[in-house]
Amino acid sequence: MLLRTKLHGKSYEFPDIRTLMGKANEEKSGDRLAGVAAETAAERVAARVVLAEVPLWVLRETPAVPYDQDEVTRVIHDALNERIYGEIKDWTVGQLREWILADTTTGEMIRRISNGLTAEMISAVTKLMSNLDLMYGASKIRVSAHCNNTIGLPGRLASRNQPNHPTDSPEGIRAEIYEGLSYGSGDSVIGINPVDDSYSSVARLLDMTYDVIQTWEIPTQNCILAHVTTQMKCMESGSPVGLVFQSIAGSQKGNESFGISVGMLDEAYALARKHCFPTGPNYMYFETGQGSELSADAHHGWDQLTMEARCYGLAKRYHPFQVNTVVGFIGPEYLYDARQIQRAGLEDHFMGKLTGVPMGVDACYTNHARADQNAIENLAVMLTAAGCNYFMGVPMGDDAMLSYQCTSYHDAPTLRQLFKLRPAPEFEAWMEALGLMKDGVLTEKAGDPSFFLAR
């Protein structure tokens, strides 16, 4: 089909869908680095005008990587509900956008249609939306999941207790866990990024976090964010694993750079269902982030938004408890400043929800990016309005191990108060029983980690 339009007397023609998708994307330093970005704002608008008229079936037939060359493509396309796809395949991308944003379209209707969408369709409709469109569209969609508690319910906002430590000190991490718990952080997961990825170190941290959970009867789950193969060894050896984690990419080549494959994730998922200690049925935790495929030269000439959308299609295969985009972590090479980081966070959250996975966002930035804490707090406010499932809780918002800036233990409680939200229901009941919360509000006992040293 001809991919051509005229704006203000100037003709714009795009040779193929890949080029069109790149030019239609909101400005990103990563796309410019890859040579796929629009040269001017006018070219970007022209690309969106053309993209709005592209039928969905064209995008189904134009995956970022051909079906026979990429297992991520095969996962996404094999899972497509052909009956639902048949109902919408002749819609244009513009019609899909208008339908999602229509007042008469409910979240349940969107959840149904999502089973007939490929990642490229989801990426395309995202490119046509403003920030407010992304917030409104995502706010309609609720994707909940259950491990040892329930995430993603209406009126709820969870927080990952992220007690990272530069030497993996169990004593130091335990102290950080208590501080986070005292603020109500941990209903998403008590999740540690380890310095040492070895089996012995990861098993030790699993034992320690499980001991905290059992001692205090906390309705949550633990996770040590080591490579999935290390976690698999821990499960097979009887270590207490709550969630199984892995970073994923939107192409087979990108996943190979992480040392993983679909077959490996399938094996990990099977082990999780057999060995994880929570009740489930959702046991997997995935992290993503725009730009990871480009950094591994695994983007196949496509824009970073489209490659990110494919991550969520892969994650959906494993019915995860949670997924989050670490939106500003890679750095300004891919998201240059606060504006680009905020846009990417809203895009990723919307795309994950539209795919049908329970989405959180690590609203963060690195110190060499043109961003600051106010910008990240702005993003957290926008994402909370959009119905984000959870954020990170980091001591003082400054991760001492990963060396990046993030949301703090006390940011989630502030957002809960601002938007009249509460923790996960099981976790709230636990906090109420300990006297840390009453009627959805933190008590005077909250914020003092020494509370947990009294027993």
Side-chain angles (χ1 to χ4, degrees):
M1 62 182 299
L2 287 177
L3 304 173
R4 178 193 303 164
T5 192
K6 180 180 284 189
L7 288 180
H8 303 295
K10 182 176 180 179
S11 294
Y12 296 87
E13 185 167 352
F14 307 93
D16 51 37
I17 291 293
R18 180 178 64 181
T19 303
L20 177 68
M21 290 279 274
K23 301 289 188 182
N25 201 20
E26 194 77 13
E27 185 178 6
K28 307 279 176 58
S29 55
D31 287 338
R32 192 159 298 282
L33 180 66
V36 303
E39 293 299 321
T40 64
E43 186 182 29
R44 184 176 299 110
V45 171
R48 290 174 180 173
V49 168
V50 174
L51 182 60
E53 297 303 319
V54 172
L56 297 182
W57 64 264
V58 172
L59 295 166
R60 199 280 174 87
E61 295 182 2
T62 319
V65 195
Y67 182 93
D68 60 350
Q69 298 176 22
D70 187 270
E71 61 184 7
V72 176
T73 301
R74 293 193 287 274
V75 164
I76 294 169
H77 284 241
D78 291 351
L80 203 69
N81 185 306
E82 294 291 347
R83 182 169 62 84
I84 294 175
Y85 168 71
E87 297 172 10
I88 63 173
K89 66 179 183 180
D90 292 323
W91 291 9
T92 64
V93 177
Q95 286 174 321
L96 176 60
R97 173 191 179 274
E98 295 302 310
W99 180 81
I100 290 172
L101 298 177
D103 290 342
T104 54
T105 302
T106 65
E108 290 76 16
M109 295 164 65
I110 296 172
R111 285 292 306 276
R112 177 180 178 274
I113 287 297
S114 71
N115 293 310
L117 298 175
T118 66
E120 287 75 16
M121 300 175 200
I122 290 170
S123 170
V125 74
T126 301
K127 296 172 189 290
L128 300 186
M129 294 197 173
S130 70
N131 286 3
L132 189 58
D133 293 338
L134 294 171
M135 293 166 62
Y136 177 59
S139 72
K140 293 184 174 189
I141 309 167
R142 286 288 169 183
V143 186
S144 62
H146 188 274
C147 190
N148 239 8
N149 58 12
T150 310
I151 200 169
L153 295 174
R156 305 286 174 171
L157 176 64
S159 172
R160 169 184 158 187
N161 190 327
Q162 183 171 305
N164 295 342
H165 193 279
T167 65
D168 283 348
S169 163
E171 295 78 14
I173 291 173
R174 187 187 293 264
E176 292 182 59
I177 291 172
Y178 287 155
E179 182 185 10
L181 291 172
S182 73
Y183 279 111
S185 176
D187 47 345
S188 156
V189 65
I190 298 174
I192 302 165
N193 297 89
V195 175
D196 184 351
D197 195 66
S198 67
Y199 162 74
S200 60
S201 179
V202 171
R204 180 171 63 250
L205 293 179
L206 284 168
D207 288 338
M208 184 272 290
T209 51
Y210 183 73
D211 177 67
V212 171
I213 291 171
Q214 293 300 106
T215 298
W216 289 94
E217 300 178 332
I218 309 171
T220 190
Q221 39 281 323
N222 64 352
C223 183
I224 310 302
L225 283 71
H227 192 271
V228 68
T229 52
T230 305
Q231 297 168 81
M232 291 163 69
K233 184 175 181 180
C234 288
M235 284 189 285
E236 291 171 327
S237 301
S239 294
V241 176
L243 289 177
V244 176
F245 164 83
Q246 181 56 46
S247 294
I248 56 175
S251 69
Q252 180 175 331
K253 186 178 179 182
N255 284 321
E256 288 170 352
S257 74
F258 288 143
I260 63 170
S261 65
V262 169
M264 183 182 292
L265 293 177
D266 286 350
E267 184 180 354
Y269 182 44
L271 286 171
R273 286 183 293 173
K274 181 178 180 180
H275 294 293
C276 284
F277 70 82
T279 56
N282 308 112
Y283 299 106
M284 303 298 284
Y285 174 14
F286 297 109
E287 286 189 346
T288 68
Q290 289 192 32
S292 61
E293 295 82 12
L294 176 59
S295 68
D297 192 26
H299 63 300
H300 297 274
W302 282 71
D303 64 277
Q304 61 190 45
L305 181 65
T306 300
M307 299 309 294
E308 178 73 7
R310 289 166 56 88
C311 295
Y312 306 130
L314 174 59
K316 188 176 182 179
R317 175 182 179 90
Y318 303 101
H319 309 285
F321 178 72
Q322 58 186 40
V323 179
N324 77 275
T325 169
V326 192
V327 69
F329 185 74
I330 302 181
E333 301 87 345
Y334 305 97
L335 297 171
Y336 180 71
D337 56 17
R339 180 177 61 83
Q340 293 188 13
I341 292 171
Q342 289 170 349
R343 172 69 187 189
L346 296 175
E347 290 171 340
D348 296 354
H349 176 253
F350 170 78
M351 291 194 300
K353 287 279 195 72
L354 185 55
T355 303
V357 296
M359 279 300 295
V361 176
D362 190 344
C364 63
Y365 65 100
T366 55
N367 287 315
H368 61 312
R370 290 182 177 268
D372 59 22
Q373 206 65 24
N374 284 331
I376 293 308
E377 291 177 7
N378 291 344
L379 175 57
V381 169
M382 289 189 285
L383 286 165
T384 305
C388 190
N389 281 10
Y390 71 100
F391 296 108
M392 305 298 110
V394 174
M396 301 300 292
D398 185 355
D399 194 298
M401 192 282 280
L402 293 173
S403 297
Y404 80 124
Q405 312 305 306
C406 190
T407 44
S408 70
Y409 283 146
H410 52 273
D411 285 343
T414 303
L415 291 165
R416 287 168 182 157
Q417 290 302 302
L418 184 62
F419 286 89
K420 309 302 180 189
L421 303 172
R422 296 190 173 194
E426 303 91 338
F427 197 82
E428 181 184 1
W430 173 78
M431 292 187 70
E432 289 257 4
L434 288 184
L436 294 172
M437 177 172 280
K438 184 176 181 181
D439 298 327
V441 178
L442 293 177
T443 67
E444 292 183 357
K445 294 181 180 180
D448 181 2
S450 67
F451 173 89
F452 292 93
L453 303 179
R455 180 177 296 182

